[in-house]
């Protein structure tokens, strides 16, 4: 579960949205934010910041030591006013978070640790002004409470902090080939402006002498004197870390849980220390029951508090899904399905008994989900962990912290909160997609029907769960949208849903999609932006959306600062789609922008790197006849060939990824398309070598499927898994056969990938990380073993995730807490995949057209 998504669920009930939008203005601005600026000054909004600066900034520095100020809800407005009163008369620019709810979101439990606590940022002109501002402001606000800013060095006891970094938005390509915020190094080169949650001084910068005592004070706090040896960090959040360790006095295995003051806020405003105190009190009330850890210690280290508990032997319940769920194969064994069903029912009974024991002690757990349930090694009993949300049952309170897939509706209070979670667990043990209930709890009845079809579960077990989840909910009377396999009705319904969601009056995005669209240049590209949706609509034969084309043209002249350059994340993908829609002049202008950058230093991959840009250059060279574009496409191939040779020689960086979007499969696709264009045999050789290098990163699972091995999990998907490799492998096999070359072992690899693409269950519906990608692959492959029945089975199962949007068919995005319309994660991607399987003219991804001579799937 990616906790970043939760904050994007606060502003809109249907779609991921930034919390600083008008829809999210649930609290008024601070009084200071409503002040009129004096003559010669201007106030501008940028994201969740209000910038206050002189209109004539003169020769202000581009980077340097900047001051951050933290604050609590109680001190924020006064602190902003004091900073304003100090900085404006001195001509010092600054910015601050202008509203209470935005400040709260910066300090929640799963807010980004790199910007946590930063309420005000001040930009001194030089080190002399830095020192004077620190000293003078300390005399005014020194000692006020506020979260510790992890990226910075604290001045005295706070709330003033300092860090060296950028004052203006500049960008460079980092060591992984990603466009990131930048500063100049000592030689004038742009390098990444690192924002790790730990204070560091760039190598070319000298720490000012007046900061040295504060660095020494920071370094004086260590864990060396504790009676615990910390051995492993288990988890980090904005509220602190969770660590496994050993009590050096008796050798006992323990867990140390950290709480940071004023950080890790819950919905009720409780900080991490308050929540840790709740957990300690709850565990002490449950002592001796055997359903929760025993408390061993409670101590302070600096400003932080630590709770020490017994280490629980076993594994979290969520980890069992990947190990034993019987639907993770194309042909589940009925005996395995029955055995899993018995196991799941037994585990649920054990959880019910544990929760009943908690209730008997007068407590409500309030945060029951599969990550907080530890299954003991004998798999007969369970232990509950993470009691920071626990509350006295007599208080009859609401939830303040919860996993989205188990989050009780507002009408549930006290023990009913746990009963709701237990009902969700009944369904999640069989189909772990209960995050859909965040969008529509009515989905519970449909999921119960699916589970009853797939598992021999007693019907009353499911019916009771649905009744509890939907308790006090009026039955839905609106007509259901068509099923995904009801073509062309489903196509037309998805198109209507996509167009109904469009917001051409907004600047930041046209179609709602993944949270990635709110990054630099977001809302434009193929993966998560307007270009991808317009491409899918065109591929599905839905006709032109002229208002969308105008929006994209308006937003690319000029491009937003920091827009990535690549095929799926940025400029090159927009250029490709605009050319396809007839706007070739703008497409060429955009590619000129790319070529003026140091684009050959980007990553090698298809998503945002050299391979994707090379494919667009080659495409535009073919459509326009411009030889310079072809030369640049061949330069891309030459660069990638050199990197491939370095990798083969062991000179490439370790830890590279595999797959279509971010692996060597993207370069293989470029080599193949250029081979088809030029007939140069070396390009086919390079394509095979690149693809085999990604296949070397794959493993065969227990079910016989070939998947990308990421070290801690295996991935079958189109974006980062084996199905994406399989798409290009089909092209490679066709090319090798046409050239009379041997394809040693590649056909067997294709069969293993096809097994991965025929699994009964996938956690999400999306094109790049879900079932829709499998539909696309099965519809396109040249493998004769694929049957029409297998394709139809996957298109029907896409309905497991189908949702209603204004009476039309739509699909949830990544993490499935909100709907998405984008190509990578949402409805546009599902539209493309279904059009590939069911449309009269098969749809396809860019540069992966239907294969010539590919046999139509045989009848099942």
């Amino acid at each position: 579960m990616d906790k970043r998504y939760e904050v994007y669920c606060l502003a809109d009930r249907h779609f991921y949205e930034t919390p600083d939008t008008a829809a999210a203005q649930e609290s008024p601005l601070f009084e200071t934010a409503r002040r009129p600026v004096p003559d010669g000054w201007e106030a501008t909004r940028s994201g969740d910041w209000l910038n206050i600066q002189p209109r004539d900034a003169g020769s202000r520095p581009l980077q340097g030591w900047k001051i951050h100020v933290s604050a609590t809800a109680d001190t924020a407005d006064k602190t902003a006013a004091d900073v304003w009163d100090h900085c404006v008369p001195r001509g010092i620019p600054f910015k601050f978070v202008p509203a209470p709810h935005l400040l709260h979101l910066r300090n929640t439990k799963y807010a980004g640790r790199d910007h946590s606590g930063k309420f005000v940022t001040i930009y001194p002109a030089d080190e002399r002004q830095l020192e004077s501002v620190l000293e003078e402001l300390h005399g005014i606000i020194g000692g006020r409470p506020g979260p510790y800013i992890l990226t910075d060095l604290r001045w005295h006891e706070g709330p003033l902090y300092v860090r060296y970094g950028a004052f203006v938005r500049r960008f460079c390509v980092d060591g992984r080939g990603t466009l990131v915020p930048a500063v100049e190094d000592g030689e004038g080169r742009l390098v990444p402006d690192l924002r790790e949650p730990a204070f560091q001084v760039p190598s070319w910068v000298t720490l000012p002498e007046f900061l040295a005592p504060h660095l020494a004070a920071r370094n004086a706090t260590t864990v060396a004197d504790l009676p615990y040896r910390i051995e492993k960090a288990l988890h980090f959040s904005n509220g602190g870390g969770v660590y496994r360790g050993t009590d050096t006095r008796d050798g006992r295995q323990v867990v140390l849980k950290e709480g940071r003051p004023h950080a890790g806020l819950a919905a009720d405003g409780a900080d991490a220390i308050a929540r840790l105190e709740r957990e300690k009190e709850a565990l002490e009330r449950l002592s001796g029951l055997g359903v929760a850890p025993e408390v061993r210690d409670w101590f302070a280290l600096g400003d932080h508090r630590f709770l020490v508990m017994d280490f629980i032997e076993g594994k979290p319940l969520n980890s069992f899904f990947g190990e034993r769920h019987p639907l993770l194969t194309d042909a589940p064994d009925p005996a395995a399905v029955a055995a899993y069903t018995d196991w799941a029912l037994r585990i649920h009974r054990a959880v019910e008994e544990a929760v009943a024991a908690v209730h008997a002690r007068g407590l409500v757990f309030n945060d029951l989900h599969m990550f907080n349930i530890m299954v003991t090694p004998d798999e007969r009993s369970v232990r509950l962990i993470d009691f920071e949300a626990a509350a006295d049952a007599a208080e009859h309170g609401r939830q303040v912290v919860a996993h989205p897939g188990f989050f009780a509706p507002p009408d549930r209070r006290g023990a009913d909160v746990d009963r709701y979670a237990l009902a969700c667990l009944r369904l999640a043990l069989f189909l772990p997609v209960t995050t859909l209930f965040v969008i529509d709890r009515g989905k519970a009845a449909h999921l119960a029907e699916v589970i009853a079809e797939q598992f021999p579960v007693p019907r009353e077990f499911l019916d009771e769960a649905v009744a509890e989840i939907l308790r006090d909910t009026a039955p839905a009377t609106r007509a259901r949208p068509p099923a995904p396999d009801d073509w062309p009705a489903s196509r037309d319904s998805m198109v209507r849903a996509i167009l109904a969601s469009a917001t051409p009056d907004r600047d930041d995005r046209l179609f709602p999609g993944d949270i990635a669209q709110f990054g630099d240049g977001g809302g434009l590209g193929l993966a998560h932006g307007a270009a991808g949706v317009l491409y899918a609509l065109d591929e599905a034969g839905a006709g032109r959306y002229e208002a969308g084309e105008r929006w994209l043209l308006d937003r690319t002249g000029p491009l937003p600062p920091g827009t990535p350059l690549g095929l799926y994340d940025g400029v090159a993908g927009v250029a490709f789609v605009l050319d396809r829609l007839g706007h070739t002049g703008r497409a060429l202008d955009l590619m000129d922008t790319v070529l003026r950058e140091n684009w050959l230093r980007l990553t090698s991959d298809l998503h945002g790197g050299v391979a994707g840009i090379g494919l667009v250059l080659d495409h535009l060279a073919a459509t326009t006849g411009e030889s310079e574009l072809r030369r640049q496409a061949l330069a891309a191939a030459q660069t990638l060939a050199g990197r491939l040779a370095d990798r083969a020689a062991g000179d490439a960086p370790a830890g590279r990824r595999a797959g279509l979007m971010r692996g060597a499969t993207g370069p293989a696709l470029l080599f193949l398309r250029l081979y088809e264009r030029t007939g140069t045999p070396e390009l086919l050789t390079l394509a095979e070598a690149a693809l085999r290098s990604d296949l070397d990163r794959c493993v065969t699972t227990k079910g016989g499927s070939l998947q990308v091995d990421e070290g801690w999990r295996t991935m079958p998907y189109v974006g980062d898994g084996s199905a994406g490799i399989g798409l290009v492998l089909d092209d490679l096999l066709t090319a090798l056969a046409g050239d009379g070359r041997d394809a040693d072992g590649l056909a067997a690899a294709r069969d293993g990938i096809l097994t991965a693409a025929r699994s009964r269950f996938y956690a999400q519906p999306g094109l790049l990380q879900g079932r829709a990608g499998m539909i696309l692959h099965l519809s396109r492959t040249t493998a004769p073993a694929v049957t029409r029945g297998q394709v139809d089975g996957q298109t029907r199962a896409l309905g497991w995730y189908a949702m209603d949007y204004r009476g039309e068919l739509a699909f949830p995005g990544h993490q499935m807490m909100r709907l998405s319309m984008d190509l990578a994660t949402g409805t546009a991607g599902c539209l493309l995949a279904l059009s590939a399987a069911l449309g009269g003219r098969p749809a396809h991804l860019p540069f992966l057209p239907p294969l010539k001579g590919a046999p139509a799937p045989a009848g099942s």
Side-chain angles (χ1 to χ4, degrees):
M1 175 59 64
D2 188 334
K3 293 293 186 177
R4 295 176 304 155
Y5 283 76
E6 293 185 32
V7 72
Y8 289 88
C9 293
L10 300 174
D12 191 283
R13 64 177 297 266
H14 289 113
F15 302 113
Y16 293 122
E17 184 59 271
T18 55
D20 60 314
T21 59
Q25 302 299 326
E26 297 175 357
S27 61
L29 296 176
F30 289 120
E31 183 178 342
T32 307
R34 299 195 298 270
R35 281 188 184 184
V37 296
D39 291 341
W41 285 70
E42 61 182 2
T44 57
R45 281 292 298 269
S46 175
D48 55 1
W49 290 106
L50 177 63
N51 301 279
I52 310 295
Q53 57 193 4
R55 283 200 178 91
D56 182 12
S59 57
R60 304 293 301 187
L62 301 177
Q63 63 190 54
W65 290 97
K66 53 187 172 182
I67 300 169
H68 287 120
V69 188
S70 68
T72 65
D74 293 335
T75 65
D77 204 1
K78 174 60 174 167
T79 296
D82 288 336
V83 170
W84 182 303
D85 293 341
H86 182 84
C87 289
V88 168
R90 294 164 177 79
I92 304 171
F94 65 98
K95 64 182 181 181
F96 66 99
V97 178
H101 79 279
L102 295 176
L103 176 62
H104 176 85
L105 291 175
R106 281 186 160 259
N107 296 319
T108 57
K109 181 175 181 180
Y110 290 105
R113 299 169 74 224
D114 57 338
H115 63 245
S116 172
K118 296 175 182 177
F119 171 57
V120 181
T121 306
I122 304 170
Y123 300 98
D126 50 36
E127 291 184 8
R128 179 181 299 177
Q129 191 172 69
L130 169 73
E131 183 175 17
S132 65
V133 172
L134 286 170
E135 289 179 343
E136 292 168 16
L137 268 182
H138 179 70
I140 301 169
I141 66 174
R144 286 184 190 170
Y148 194 104
I149 299 175
L150 297 172
T151 59
D152 289 28
L153 178 64
R154 185 167 65 180
W155 178 261
H156 295 293
E157 70 276 21
L160 297 163
Y161 296 77
V162 295
R163 183 181 84 84
Y164 189 93
F167 285 12
V168 297
R169 288 161 59 91
R170 292 192 287 176
F171 299 89
C172 71
V173 177
D174 69 7
R176 298 191 300 175
T178 303
L179 202 66
V180 296
V183 293
E184 285 184 24
D185 68 7
E187 298 178 5
R189 300 171 303 190
L190 287 178
V191 297
D193 183 9
L194 299 177
R195 301 176 185 184
E196 300 296 323
F199 176 69
Q200 50 193 314
V201 181
S203 60
W204 68 91
V205 174
T206 300
L207 184 78
E209 186 175 343
F210 58 86
L211 293 179
H214 304 279
L215 181 60
R218 176 186 180 277
N219 294 337
T221 301
T222 72
V223 298
D225 296 330
L226 295 179
Y228 304 102
R229 182 173 62 252
I230 295 176
E231 295 158 347
K232 183 180 181 181
L234 301 176
H235 173 69
F236 283 108
S237 74
N238 192 28
V242 181
Y243 311 91
R244 190 180 73 190
T246 299
D247 189 327
T248 57
R249 296 165 295 191
D250 58 13
R252 185 193 301 270
Q253 292 287 294
V254 294
V255 170
L256 298 91
K257 192 169 184 179
E258 175 187 23
R260 298 176 54 222
H262 313 299
L265 303 181
D268 62 353
D271 69 2
I273 290 180
R275 290 187 288 105
L276 202 60
E277 288 172 340
R278 289 178 187 168
E279 181 161 18
K280 174 177 175 289
E281 293 168 2
L283 292 178
E284 288 173 342
R285 285 179 68 171
L286 297 174
S287 180
L289 277 181
V291 299
E294 296 288 338
V295 174
R296 295 298 166 188
D297 200 358
W298 172 260
F299 65 88
L301 183 65
D303 296 334
H304 297 196
R305 297 293 183 272
F306 285 82
L307 174 64
V308 184
M309 302 166 280
D310 282 341
F311 177 78
I312 300 295
E313 294 288 346
K315 293 187 296 186
L317 180 55
N318 69 292
S319 68
F320 285 87
F321 185 84
E323 293 179 5
R324 65 170 66 202
H325 199 280
L327 301 192
L328 299 178
T329 180
D330 59 336
D333 177 11
V337 174
Y340 178 85
T341 301
D342 290 342
W343 177 85
L345 294 174
R346 184 175 73 246
I347 290 296
H348 192 273
R349 279 195 302 273
V351 176
E352 284 185 317
E353 292 167 0
V355 171
V358 172
H359 290 178
R361 289 282 175 98
L363 285 175
V364 178
F365 189 16
N366 265 337
D367 194 17
L368 180 70
H369 57 80
M370 289 201 285
F371 292 80
N372 282 352
I373 300 167
M374 295 292 291
V375 180
T376 57
D378 64 3
E379 298 187 19
R380 291 286 174 182
S381 59
V382 300
R383 300 290 184 271
L384 305 179
I385 61 173
D386 199 355
F387 278 79
E388 63 182 36
D392 194 299
E395 296 174 1
H396 206 58
R398 288 173 52 180
Q399 256 179 321
V400 294
V401 175
H403 184 287
F406 297 78
F407 196 9
D411 63 299
R412 311 301 168 89
R413 294 174 175 271
D416 278 352
V417 170
D418 288 349
R419 295 187 185 102
Y420 179 87
L422 285 168
C424 291
L425 184 62
R426 290 191 181 203
L427 304 184
L429 279 165
F430 297 96
L431 286 182
V433 294
T434 55
T435 49
L436 294 174
F437 301 166
V438 179
I439 307 172
D440 183 2
R441 272 189 289 151
K443 192 67 178 177
H446 181 208
L447 293 184
E449 293 173 5
V450 174
I451 293 168
E453 292 171 357
Q454 303 291 329
F455 297 89
V457 185
R459 188 69 213 204
E460 62 272 18
F461 181 84
L462 301 174
D463 291 343
E464 290 168 2
V466 173
E468 177 62 36
I469 292 167
L470 301 183
R471 177 158 57 90
D472 300 326
T473 302
T477 57
R478 61 180 181 270
R480 278 190 180 182
D485 59 335
D486 182 10
W487 193 267
S490 62
R491 176 199 61 198
D492 296 342
S493 186
M494 284 185 281
V495 170
R496 288 193 294 268
I498 290 170
L499 296 181
S501 75
T503 53
D505 56 321
R506 288 180 57 157
D507 290 331
D508 59 337
R509 59 106 162 129
L510 175 59
F511 298 103
D514 190 73
I515 66 172
Q517 69 180 191
F518 298 116
D520 291 322
L524 299 178
L526 260 178
H528 305 296
V533 179
L534 294 176
Y535 175 84
L537 291 172
D538 191 45
E539 273 295 296
R544 301 285 286 271
Y545 177 46
E546 293 183 0
E549 293 176 35
R550 287 196 301 272
W551 187 93
L552 195 55
L553 289 167
D554 290 344
R555 298 311 181 279
T556 55
L559 285 161
T563 303
L565 303 177
L567 172 59
Y568 277 87
D569 67 350
V571 181
V574 175
F576 171 75
V577 173
L578 286 176
D579 173 69
R580 176 191 177 101
L581 296 174
H583 307 289
T584 301
R586 175 59 58 82
L588 291 173
D589 290 343
L590 291 176
M591 291 312 293
D592 282 344
T593 299
V594 173
L595 294 175
R596 287 196 298 269
E597 300 293 334
N598 197 359
W599 64 281
L600 286 171
R601 284 190 57 205
L602 292 169
T603 52
S604 300
D605 61 48
L606 187 72
H607 185 269
V610 174
I613 294 172
L615 283 162
V616 177
L617 290 167
D618 177 62
H619 165 79
L620 289 173
T623 58
T624 65
E626 293 199 16
S627 58
E628 176 59 18
L629 296 176
R630 176 61 45 72
R631 190 187 71 79
Q632 295 285 3
L634 292 172
Q638 185 176 13
T639 296
L640 296 173
R643 295 180 185 177
L644 188 63
D646 290 342
R647 187 176 300 128
D651 297 332
R656 72 170 185 86
R657 299 171 70 173
L660 177 64
M661 288 293 139
R662 293 180 174 82
T665 300
L669 181 59
L670 175 62
F671 295 141
L672 277 172
R673 298 287 90 100
L674 290 174
Y675 165 72
E676 293 167 354
R677 192 89 70 192
T678 67
T680 304
E682 290 78 11
L683 287 167
L684 182 56
T685 301
L686 286 167
E688 181 178 358
L691 204 63
R692 286 187 183 275
S693 73
D694 264 8
L695 288 171
D696 287 342
R697 298 289 305 277
C698 296
V699 296
T700 301
T701 67
K702 291 187 299 183
S705 65
L706 192 69
Q707 301 187 26
V708 170
D709 182 6
E710 293 191 341
W712 62 285
R713 64 179 179 180
T714 60
M715 294 288 279
Y717 300 117
V718 161
D720 297 316
S722 55
I725 301 173
L727 284 169
V728 180
L729 179 54
D730 276 319
D731 291 72
L732 177 64
L733 286 168
T734 300
L736 291 174
D739 199 53
R741 300 196 195 187
D742 182 36
D744 182 43
L746 294 179
R750 178 175 65 178
D751 290 343
I753 293 171
L754 288 173
T755 299
R758 293 189 294 241
S759 178
R760 189 72 63 84
F761 176 80
Y762 300 97
Q764 301 189 107
L767 184 65
L768 296 189
Q769 286 188 306
R771 192 184 295 273
M774 306 311 182
I775 295 170
L776 179 70
H777 180 39
L778 293 175
S779 302
R780 182 180 185 272
T781 184
T782 55
V786 175
T787 68
R788 183 74 246 174
Q790 291 166 350
V791 177
D792 290 346
Q794 293 290 28
T795 59
R796 285 194 301 271
L798 192 62
W800 296 3
Y801 324 88
M803 306 295 288
D804 174 278
Y805 177 65
R806 297 187 179 180
E808 306 294 352
L809 176 61
F811 289 89
H814 194 54
Q815 302 295 308
M816 298 199 300
M817 290 185 279
R818 289 293 185 269
L819 301 177
S820 169
M821 298 298 174
D822 70 28
L823 180 71
T825 71
T827 307
C830 294
L831 172 67
L832 185 84
L834 290 169
S835 185
L838 305 172
R841 179 179 65 85
H844 60 87
L845 281 173
F847 310 110
L848 282 164
L851 289 164
K852 294 178 181 179
S860 56

